[in-house]
Amino acid sequence: MQAITFPPTYDNEAAHRQVKLLMRQGKQLNVRIEDEAWISCQGVTGLRYLLNEGSWQWLLNYLRTGDYEDFGVFPSEIPQFTFEGFQESKVKQLVDEKCNIACIPFLRETQAYVKLRGLFKFGKLFFSIRRTDDFMDYLNKNGL
Protein backbone atom coordinates (compact mmCIF):
# COMPACT_ATOMS: atom_id res chain seq x y z
CA MET A 1 0.00 0.00 0.00
CA GLN A 2 1.33 3.41 -0.98
CA ALA A 3 1.15 6.29 1.48
CA ILE A 4 -0.42 9.55 0.37
CA THR A 5 1.80 12.57 0.89
CA PHE A 6 0.36 16.03 0.95
CA PRO A 7 2.37 19.05 -0.06
CA PRO A 8 3.56 21.18 2.85
CA THR A 9 1.53 24.27 3.65
CA TYR A 10 2.89 27.53 2.36
CA ASP A 11 5.28 29.25 4.78
CA ASN A 12 4.09 32.85 4.73
CA GLU A 13 6.40 33.70 7.65
CA ALA A 14 9.45 32.99 5.46
CA ALA A 15 7.98 35.07 2.66
CA HIS A 16 7.34 37.89 5.15
CA ARG A 17 10.97 37.79 6.29
CA GLN A 18 12.14 37.91 2.68
CA VAL A 19 9.89 40.89 1.88
CA LYS A 20 11.12 42.69 5.00
CA LEU A 21 14.73 42.06 3.94
CA LEU A 22 13.98 43.63 0.55
CA MET A 23 12.40 46.59 2.34
CA ARG A 24 15.45 47.03 4.58
CA GLN A 25 17.58 47.23 1.44
CA GLY A 26 15.34 50.04 0.16
CA LYS A 27 14.30 48.14 -2.95
CA GLN A 28 11.64 49.44 -5.32
CA LEU A 29 8.94 46.77 -5.02
CA ASN A 30 6.56 45.86 -7.82
CA VAL A 31 3.50 44.28 -6.23
CA ARG A 32 0.86 42.51 -8.34
CA ILE A 33 -2.30 42.08 -6.28
CA GLU A 34 -4.52 39.06 -6.76
CA ASP A 35 -5.90 37.01 -3.87
CA GLU A 36 -2.32 37.24 -2.67
CA ALA A 37 0.54 39.56 -3.53
CA TRP A 38 3.25 38.64 -6.03
CA ILE A 39 6.28 40.76 -5.22
CA SER A 40 9.22 41.38 -7.49
CA CYS A 41 12.12 43.80 -7.65
CA GLN A 42 15.59 43.88 -9.12
CA GLY A 43 17.01 40.41 -8.49
CA VAL A 44 13.77 38.84 -7.21
CA THR A 45 10.89 37.65 -9.35
CA GLY A 46 7.48 36.42 -8.26
CA LEU A 47 7.72 36.11 -4.49
CA ARG A 48 4.31 34.90 -3.28
CA TYR A 49 3.03 36.69 -0.17
CA LEU A 50 -0.39 35.91 1.31
CA LEU A 51 -2.30 38.95 2.45
CA ASN A 52 -4.40 39.78 5.47
CA GLU A 53 -5.52 43.25 6.50
CA GLY A 54 -2.43 43.88 8.64
CA SER A 55 0.04 42.76 6.00
CA TRP A 56 -1.78 44.83 3.34
CA GLN A 57 -1.42 47.97 5.49
CA TRP A 58 2.24 47.14 6.20
CA LEU A 59 2.99 46.71 2.50
CA LEU A 60 1.13 49.88 1.58
CA ASN A 61 2.92 51.85 4.32
CA TYR A 62 6.30 50.77 2.93
CA LEU A 63 5.35 51.76 -0.62
CA ARG A 64 4.31 55.21 0.62
CA THR A 65 6.97 56.01 3.23
CA GLY A 66 9.75 53.42 3.08
CA ASP A 67 9.08 52.39 6.69
CA TYR A 68 9.44 48.63 7.06
CA GLU A 69 8.51 48.29 10.76
CA ASP A 70 6.17 45.30 11.07
CA PHE A 71 5.10 45.47 14.70
CA GLY A 72 1.59 44.02 14.99
CA VAL A 73 1.69 42.30 11.60
CA PHE A 74 0.99 38.58 11.82
CA PRO A 75 1.61 37.03 8.38
CA SER A 76 0.59 33.55 9.55
CA GLU A 77 -2.99 34.70 10.28
CA ILE A 78 -4.37 34.19 6.81
CA PRO A 79 -8.15 34.26 6.28
CA GLN A 80 -9.51 30.84 5.32
CA PHE A 81 -11.58 32.31 2.51
CA THR A 82 -10.99 34.97 -0.10
CA PHE A 83 -13.10 38.06 -0.18
CA GLU A 84 -14.95 38.66 -3.40
CA GLY A 85 -14.04 42.09 -4.70
CA PHE A 86 -10.86 42.45 -2.61
CA GLN A 87 -8.96 44.21 -5.39
CA GLU A 88 -11.86 46.46 -6.28
CA SER A 89 -12.33 47.60 -2.68
CA LYS A 90 -8.60 48.30 -2.27
CA VAL A 91 -8.47 50.32 -5.50
CA LYS A 92 -11.48 52.35 -4.40
CA GLN A 93 -9.83 52.97 -1.04
CA LEU A 94 -6.64 54.18 -2.74
CA VAL A 95 -8.55 56.41 -5.17
CA ASP A 96 -10.54 57.94 -2.29
CA GLU A 97 -7.25 58.64 -0.48
CA LYS A 98 -6.06 60.51 -3.61
CA CYS A 99 -3.19 58.11 -4.32
CA ASN A 100 -1.56 58.15 -7.74
CA ILE A 101 -3.69 55.48 -9.46
CA ALA A 102 -3.96 55.29 -13.24
CA CYS A 103 -5.52 52.99 -15.82
CA ILE A 104 -3.17 51.20 -18.17
CA PRO A 105 -4.61 51.99 -21.60
CA PHE A 106 -5.43 49.41 -24.25
CA LEU A 107 -5.85 49.94 -27.95
CA ARG A 108 -9.22 48.24 -27.75
CA GLU A 109 -11.69 48.56 -24.92
CA THR A 110 -12.88 44.98 -25.38
CA GLN A 111 -10.74 43.47 -22.62
CA ALA A 112 -12.59 41.62 -19.87
CA TYR A 113 -10.31 43.15 -17.24
CA VAL A 114 -9.24 46.71 -16.61
CA LYS A 115 -5.63 47.07 -15.52
CA LEU A 116 -4.67 49.73 -12.99
CA ARG A 117 -1.32 50.86 -11.66
CA GLY A 118 -0.53 52.70 -8.46
CA LEU A 119 2.72 54.66 -8.30
CA PHE A 120 4.39 55.28 -4.95
CA LYS A 121 7.79 56.50 -3.81
CA PHE A 122 9.06 53.01 -2.97
CA GLY A 123 7.33 50.91 -5.61
CA LYS A 124 4.25 50.15 -7.68
CA LEU A 125 0.99 48.29 -7.22
CA PHE A 126 -0.64 46.48 -10.13
CA PHE A 127 -4.29 45.46 -10.22
CA SER A 128 -6.33 43.54 -12.79
CA ILE A 129 -10.05 43.90 -12.09
CA ARG A 130 -13.00 42.46 -13.99
CA ARG A 131 -14.66 45.18 -16.02
CA THR A 132 -18.20 45.93 -14.81
CA ASP A 133 -20.44 48.89 -15.56
CA ASP A 134 -20.49 49.99 -11.90
CA PHE A 135 -16.71 49.87 -11.57
CA MET A 136 -16.15 51.64 -14.89
CA ASP A 137 -18.63 54.34 -13.84
CA TYR A 138 -16.71 54.75 -10.57
CA LEU A 139 -13.41 55.12 -12.45
CA ASN A 140 -14.90 57.60 -14.94
CA LYS A 141 -16.43 59.63 -12.10
CA ASN A 142 -13.00 59.91 -10.51
CA GLY A 143 -11.26 60.88 -13.74
CA LEU A 144 -9.54 57.59 -14.38
Side-chain angles (χ1 to χ4, degrees), residues 27-115:
K27 298 278 188 175
Q28 289 283 318
L29 300 181
N30 294 319
V31 183
R32 192 179 75 219
I33 303 295
E34 294 174 0
D35 289 337
E36 60 240 359
W38 291 92
I39 299 171
S40 60
C41 65
Q42 185 177 2
V44 177
T45 303
L47 177 64
R48 180 180 177 210
Y49 183 59
L50 303 176
L51 292 172
N52 60 29
E53 191 60 38
S55 60
W56 164 255
Q57 291 301 326
W58 174 66
L59 199 57
L60 193 57
N61 186 47
Y62 173 77
L63 293 174
R64 289 178 174 163
T65 66
D67 180 24
Y68 54 83
E69 179 57 49
D70 62 350
F71 181 75
V73 177
F74 303 103
S76 58
E77 293 180 2
I78 304 301
Q80 296 300 321
F81 53 91
T82 59
F83 297 103
E84 188 66 32
F86 173 78
Q87 289 189 67
E88 189 174 327
S89 67
K90 296 305 178 190
V91 165
K92 287 180 178 180
Q93 175 188 356
L94 293 171
V95 168
D96 292 341
E97 292 174 4
K98 305 294 185 210
C99 291
N100 190 5
I101 305 295
C103 285
I104 300 173
F106 286 103
L107 295 175
R108 298 183 183 134
E109 294 297 323
T110 59
Q111 300 291 327
Y113 289 87
V114 60
K115 298 196 182 297

